[in-house]
Amino acid sequence: EADIYQTPRYLVIGTGKKITLECSQTMGHDKMYWYQQDPGMELHLIHYSYGVNSTEKGDLSSESTVSRIRTEHFPLTLESARPSHTSQYLCASSEPGDTFYGYTFGSGTRLTVV
Amino acid sequence: RKEVEQDPGPFNVPEGATVAFNCTYSNSASQSFFWYRQDCRKEPKLLMSVYSSGNEDGRFTAQLNRASQYISLLIRDSKLSDSATYLCVVNEGGGGADGLTFGKGTHLIIQP
């Protein structure tokens, strides 16, 4: 019944590989986000988008890139994965407008780079 | 620098007890506040929004103290299923992510 979907759920990949983490939502939300979270640590915003063709970098510097060609889709790409990229990546969306009502998070992608 | 501070715990509490924890924030202009629950290796889920007058949802009560810049979460009659990490989230304004700061979370363990 999730309205925001992330794939894959788990990914183990070798150093230097290019990977794309998928995130899609069916709620028609304009605002979408990517967060990175290491075990036991706080969430850090790495990218966000307020609508189609709009993308911004977040607080935490990241070597990843994002695109927003369709409202419902906000993929994150790592051109060359490194062990330092090992983390959990959480996608979220929120309702449009100036008032923030909270996020809906996807179930996350747990990435391990070996 | 935006700061949201939480006692990381863990808080070990017997089942049925009442437990409360606070979250302090540094920006007095912060506009809205939330408590999220995150289970181990899962995504955060919204537990409660925190209103200036305080709000209650069943066994959970959230309160805001703007003068002292903290929000609190009280859990009454704690259940084993309440074991989780509770994240404090502070929104400094607007509807976007650039105004949001997450705390590191408070880890709660309810013991039988």
Side-chain angles (χ1 to χ4, degrees), chain A residues 9-10 31 33 35 37 40-43 45 48 50 59 88 90 94-95 97-108 110, chain B residues 1-2 31-32 34 36 38 40-46 49 87 89 91 93-105:
Chain A
R9 183 76 177 89
Y10 300 95
K31 298 177 181 177
Y33 318 88
Y35 281 86
Q37 185 182 32
M41 302 298 289
E42 67 267 48
L43 280 75
L45 179 68
Y48 60 99
Y50 289 165
D59 299 330
Q88 172 158 261
L90 289 158
S94 65
E95 295 182 25
D98 293 333
T99 302
F100 179 74
Y101 294 104
Y103 288 139
T104 301
F105 280 94
S107 55
R110 193 168 293 275
Chain B
R1 184 181 183 284
K2 300 180 284 190
Q31 296 187 4
S32 53
F34 306 86
Y36 276 76
Q38 186 173 26
C40 186
R41 296 179 172 270
K42 296 288 184 68
E43 74 274 22
K45 293 187 178 179
L46 181 64
S49 301
L87 305 176
V89 184
N91 181 27
D98 49 344
L100 280 179
T101 303
F102 282 79
K104 291 186 179 181

Side-chain angles (χ1 to χ4, degrees), chain B residues 36-98:
Chain B
Y36 276 76
R37 172 195 169 124
Q38 186 173 26
D39 293 300
C40 186
R41 296 179 172 270
K42 296 288 184 68
E43 74 274 22
K45 293 187 178 179
L46 181 64
L47 179 65
M48 298 180 79
S49 301
V50 187
Y51 306 123
S52 56
S53 58
N55 50 305
E56 188 173 315
D57 182 4
R59 298 181 294 108
F60 297 84
T61 300
Q63 293 205 311
L64 167 65
N65 185 319
R66 283 195 182 273
S68 300
Q69 295 183 203
Y70 74 84
I71 64 173
S72 64
L73 179 67
L74 178 79
I75 306 174
R76 289 181 298 277
D77 187 23
S78 54
K79 313 290 185 192
L80 295 175
S81 58
D82 293 334
S83 297
T85 297
Y86 291 84
L87 305 176
C88 172
V89 184
V90 175
N91 181 27
E92 297 188 354
D98 49 344

Side-chain angles (χ1 to χ4, degrees), chain A residues 35-111:
Chain A
Y35 281 86
Q36 184 174 342
Q37 185 182 32
D38 293 325
M41 302 298 289
E42 67 267 48
L43 280 75
H44 288 289
L45 179 68
I46 52 175
H47 296 283
Y48 60 99
S49 167
Y50 289 165
V52 172
N53 294 326
S54 153
T55 61
E56 301 286 345
K57 288 188 178 293
D59 299 330
L60 183 68
S61 175
S62 173
E63 293 161 346
S64 58
T65 59
V66 292
S67 62
R68 191 85 183 277
I69 299 172
R70 303 197 317 266
T71 298
E72 62 272 20
H73 195 214
F74 191 41
L76 181 145
T77 298
L78 278 166
E79 291 292 333
S80 179
R82 294 210 298 265
S84 61
H85 296 140
T86 296
S87 189
Q88 172 158 261
Y89 293 84
L90 289 158
C91 181
S93 69
S94 65
E95 295 182 25
D98 293 333
T99 302
F100 179 74
Y101 294 104
Y103 288 139
T104 301
F105 280 94
S107 55
T109 292
R110 193 168 293 275
L111 173 66

